[in-house]
Amino acid sequence: MFSPSAVLAPRVSVAIEEAFGAEFRGADPVLRPSQFADIQVNAALALSKRVGLPPREVAARLVERLELGDVCETVEISGPGFLNLTLKDGWVAGQVAAMAGDSRLGVPVQEAQRIPIDYSAPNVAKEMHVGHLRTTVVGDALARTLEHLGHDVIRQNHIGDWGTPFGMLIEHLLDVGEGTDEARLVETDPNGFYQAARAKFDADDQFANRARGRVVALQAGDAETLRLWGELVEFSKHYFNRIYTRLGVTLTDADLAGESTYNDQLAAICDELEAAGLATMSEGALCVFLDGYTGREGKPVPLIIRKSDGGYGYATTDLATIKHRVQDLKADRIVYVIGAPQALHLNMVWDTARKAGWLPDTVVPVHTQIGNVLGEDRKILRTRSGAPLRLLTLLDEAVAKARAVIDEARPDLPEETRATIAPQVGIGAVKYADLSVAHDSEYVFDLERMVALTGNTGPYLQYAAARIRSIFRNAGLEPAAATSTVEIQEQAERALCLALLEFGTVVTQVGDELEPHRLCAYLFQLAQAFSAFYENCPVIKAEPALRESRLALCVLTLRVLEEGLGLLGIEAPARM
Ligand code: ARG
């Protein structure tokens, strides 16, 4: 890593140990860029109590021990005991040169963990909604980032491909006839198909009875019923894959691990829990009652693992995911990128699995909570008529809006080029909007703002990268040829260098904290630092040595922007 804080942290640790003794080995000083200094060290405050000295005195002792002559221009004690470090320009430039020579741009390879990551998980014969869009986009960015950090990422698309609705869906399929246009709706307009089945189920008793009978046949493994079910799943897969391709996410059929894959394990799970005394019968259902989960009036909340009709539900299947991920996939960390409202469900499932001995303490489950996507009325996003939004329509709209923005900004580009760029920008805009907000916050879905070329948007970053490419194109130069060392003359150059050096740290944090919005915020800052540099520092018109140095900075910025967007799953058009 080339980030000054990362490089200097071990040196500060050594100084702490030397100043206060071996028992302070491993004391973790906090170093970070701040508005007051290139790097601010916060160690004295935490140490002060332990060593029984006022913080400024602690800071003074650290300064005595710190050997930073090669790196820092000045080291000053400030405020209640911070150390303010001012880095030497030459050292910063040297770090930038080292980073430019590193194909990983300072992103470390971490000790590999096996990480199953559960994301997307739409439901068969149902429309994907904006919530599914968000888990898909966030999950995919995390999968890409964790993989880049050296982990074994195992994508698990836990699609909803089982359960009682299949009774009515199969009967409806038989009614409309296999292979008919109406049957094909599962592929093109799943909600249309679902609603039609639902309407009949609600209105027609005979149909409802057939549907119930079908559920029994499905659960009993009746061959013809399974074939029909498989057909519905197959159609849905086409529909999912159309959306995945459109979005440019990495999920493939090989990552499907739907609810149905766990069917044959559910009975054993219930038996095991019952035998262990963890599950008990309550009102005909088999339930797990856990300490600490109480609802209104202090009533215990059950985790239902077998319903009174004998069927298994969502909780039982999720218990099976844990066994599978721990025992078969050998997980070190298990990531569930799913809706925030499912926190209770997941916690109950994990606690049950821990009690049953299926989830050892060495395996860390994480719920990456996905917040709601809202409409302008601040309610869950729907169409004007109140129907759930069709995702493909939404993506079409985004691309059309992006096209309009590009037509206006770049009428000089050939029609063909603009047609290629529009989907890159439109889809990039939607993905970036999902990623740039903390994954657990709600946000208002506003296409107009998402596709804007200014502000913290995907198109702004794509444009920043494309603009750097155009500097080279206009000068008739190849970006790869700009390999000069960097010389810092202007303040804006220095600021850009410092921003560039943080890339490795930020990507590491995204992997550790599972928070892609940090990378978005970083790239936005970097693009702004680049803008300021480009406004203040002539590149092509500078005298030769300086020109080479500045071109090298341009290229490094370009590489970081493109790599960063790539980790987020966002394309970077070469021109825009
Ligand atoms: N299919 C579910 C839904 O649409 C999400 C499943 C999430 N994954 C899980 N392991 N529970 O809400």
Side-chain angles (χ1 to χ4, degrees):
M1 269 202 270
F2 301 103
S3 129
S5 354
V7 175
L8 296 179
R11 296 211 204 173
V12 178
S13 297
V14 169
I16 293 174
E17 200 186 325
E18 283 180 6
F20 303 111
E23 67 266 38
F24 290 93
R25 179 165 304 156
D28 190 15
V30 180
L31 283 79
R32 58 163 87 94
S34 92
Q35 60 182 123
F36 306 108
D38 291 339
I39 300 293
Q40 195 161 61
V41 185
N42 183 357
L45 267 64
L47 285 174
S48 140
K49 263 215 188 94
R50 286 180 65 193
V51 301
L53 288 172
R56 281 188 74 98
E57 178 61 30
V58 173
R61 297 213 184 175
L62 287 182
V63 174
E64 265 167 41
R65 304 280 172 164
L66 267 173
E67 304 213 10
L68 296 176
D70 53 331
V71 176
C72 291
E73 205 66 66
T74 57
V75 178
E76 280 162 0
I77 300 173
S78 90
F82 294 113
L83 297 188
N84 284 350
L85 312 188
T86 305
L87 302 165
K88 285 187 169 161
D89 287 352
W91 184 79
V92 172
Q95 289 296 103
V96 169
M99 176 172 170
D102 175 14
S103 63
R104 295 186 55 85
L105 296 166
V107 177
V109 178
Q110 298 185 321
E111 195 187 323
Q113 289 187 328
R114 289 179 64 84
I115 310 179
I117 167 165
D118 183 320
Y119 68 102
S120 192
N123 301 312
V124 165
K126 275 204 199 160
E127 179 71 31
M128 275 172 87
H129 55 65
V130 280
H132 290 122
L133 174 71
R134 201 167 177 198
T135 131
T136 305
V137 168
V138 170
D140 208 53
L142 290 175
R144 289 170 191 259
T145 305
L146 289 168
E147 235 156 28
H148 186 60
L149 285 164
H151 299 294
D152 286 328
V153 171
I154 310 161
R155 293 165 176 75
Q156 297 281 285
N157 193 354
H158 190 81
I159 58 171
D161 60 357
W162 200 254
T164 44
F166 281 92
M168 71 176 195
L169 292 169
I170 291 172
E171 285 304 319
H172 181 59
L173 175 62
L174 286 172
D175 283 2
V176 300
E178 290 176 69
T180 59
D181 282 351
E182 260 184 277
R184 287 261 154 198
L185 277 185
V186 180
E187 218 176 318
T188 53
D189 177 14
N191 260 3
F193 186 89
Y194 191 93
Q195 295 306 340
R198 180 84 228 182
K200 267 197 276 174
F201 186 87
D202 290 339
D204 177 348
D205 282 346
Q206 247 186 332
F207 178 84
N209 281 333
R210 264 160 54 206
R212 286 190 203 98
R214 206 39 99 166
V215 176
V216 177
L218 183 66
Q219 278 165 351
D222 171 60
E224 174 63 3
T225 304
L226 279 175
R227 185 187 66 78
L228 292 162
W229 165 81
E231 197 164 300
L232 289 173
V233 175
E234 205 48 40
F235 282 153
S236 275
K237 278 202 239 167
H238 295 165
Y239 164 74
F240 301 152
N241 285 336
R242 266 222 316 285
I243 292 187
Y244 294 155
T245 308
R246 198 76 200 284
L247 283 174
V249 298
T250 56
L251 285 168
T252 68
D253 283 355
D255 307 313
L256 288 169
E259 295 178 9
S260 70
T261 53
Y262 300 101
N263 283 345
D264 55 1
Q265 296 155 41
L266 304 181
I269 284 184
C270 290
D271 291 347
E272 243 184 278
L273 290 174
E274 212 175 0
L278 291 168
T280 46
M281 292 299 290
S282 169
E283 293 172 33
L286 187 62
C287 302
V288 178
F289 290 97
L290 298 154
D291 291 342
Y293 296 94
T294 44
R296 257 175 248 145
E297 293 153 23
K299 266 184 109 179
V301 178
L303 185 71
I304 300 176
I305 55 172
R306 196 179 59 222
K307 292 181 270 186
S308 51
D309 66 4
Y312 308 103
Y314 194 53
T316 331
T317 321
D318 258 327
L319 284 166
T321 64
I322 299 194
K323 280 187 119 180
H324 174 56
R325 292 168 195 180
V326 171
Q327 293 167 10
D328 308 330
L329 302 180
K330 310 263 183 283
D332 296 302
R333 197 162 27 142
I334 311 178
V335 182
Y336 291 83
V337 187
I338 58 186
Q342 296 195 35
L344 178 69
H345 159 78
L346 274 185
N347 279 311
M348 292 184 81
V349 166
W350 295 343
D351 278 355
T352 303
R354 279 192 196 96
K355 283 198 154 177
W358 302 330
L359 181 60
D361 291 341
T362 47
V363 180
V364 186
V366 190
H367 181 190
T368 299
Q369 302 197 3
I370 296 298
N372 288 328
V373 183
L374 309 175
E376 271 153 41
D377 55 1
R378 298 207 61 91
K379 296 203 183 106
I380 301 278
L381 188 65
R382 293 184 187 281
T383 56
R384 290 248 161 72
S385 64
L389 273 188
R390 293 190 54 197
L391 211 51
L392 281 169
T393 315
L394 199 79
L395 297 179
D396 286 341
E397 245 176 82
V399 173
K401 282 222 157 50
R403 177 66 204 250
V405 168
I406 294 159
D407 284 347
E408 193 178 324
R410 295 302 307 271
D412 56 310
L413 287 178
E415 152 74 27
E416 212 186 67
T417 312
R418 280 180 280 146
T420 319
I421 299 173
Q424 296 179 309
V425 172
I427 300 295
V430 170
K431 291 175 97 172
Y432 190 84
D434 258 345
L435 292 164
S436 57
V437 182
H439 58 69
D440 53 352
S441 329
E442 311 184 311
Y443 79 92
V444 173
F445 194 94
D446 175 358
L447 274 182
E448 221 64 60
R449 183 188 57 79
M450 293 177 187
V451 299
L453 288 173
T454 52
N456 188 7
T457 67
Y460 172 74
L461 294 179
Q462 290 173 319
Y463 179 69
R467 185 164 68 154
I468 300 178
R469 286 205 174 269
S470 80
I471 297 172
F472 284 88
R473 231 182 351 256
N474 295 339
L477 297 168
E478 272 303 314
T483 54
S484 155
T485 52
V486 166
E487 190 191 317
I488 295 175
Q489 286 207 345
E490 301 290 328
Q491 200 46 43
E493 260 170 333
R494 192 172 192 281
L496 177 60
C497 286
L498 289 174
L500 284 165
L501 293 177
E502 293 304 316
F503 184 57
T505 304
V506 172
V507 174
T508 308
Q509 273 177 357
V510 173
D512 291 347
E513 316 286 334
L514 306 175
E515 290 179 339
H517 74 275
R518 288 171 184 264
L519 181 53
C520 297
Y522 166 78
L523 293 174
F524 181 52
Q525 267 177 18
L526 177 67
Q528 286 177 311
F530 182 81
S531 266
F533 157 79
Y534 197 61
E535 264 163 42
N536 290 294
C537 310
V539 176
I540 300 300
K541 292 201 179 100
E543 46 89 13
L546 200 52
R547 172 181 142 124
E548 291 309 309
S549 160
R550 289 181 176 167
L551 283 170
L553 273 183
C554 289
V555 167
L556 190 55
T557 308
L558 175 66
R559 284 170 64 195
V560 172
L561 284 174
E562 289 186 347
E563 181 91 344
L565 287 172
L567 292 176
L568 295 172
I570 295 174
E571 287 184 80
R575 46 172 93 217
M576 217 174 126

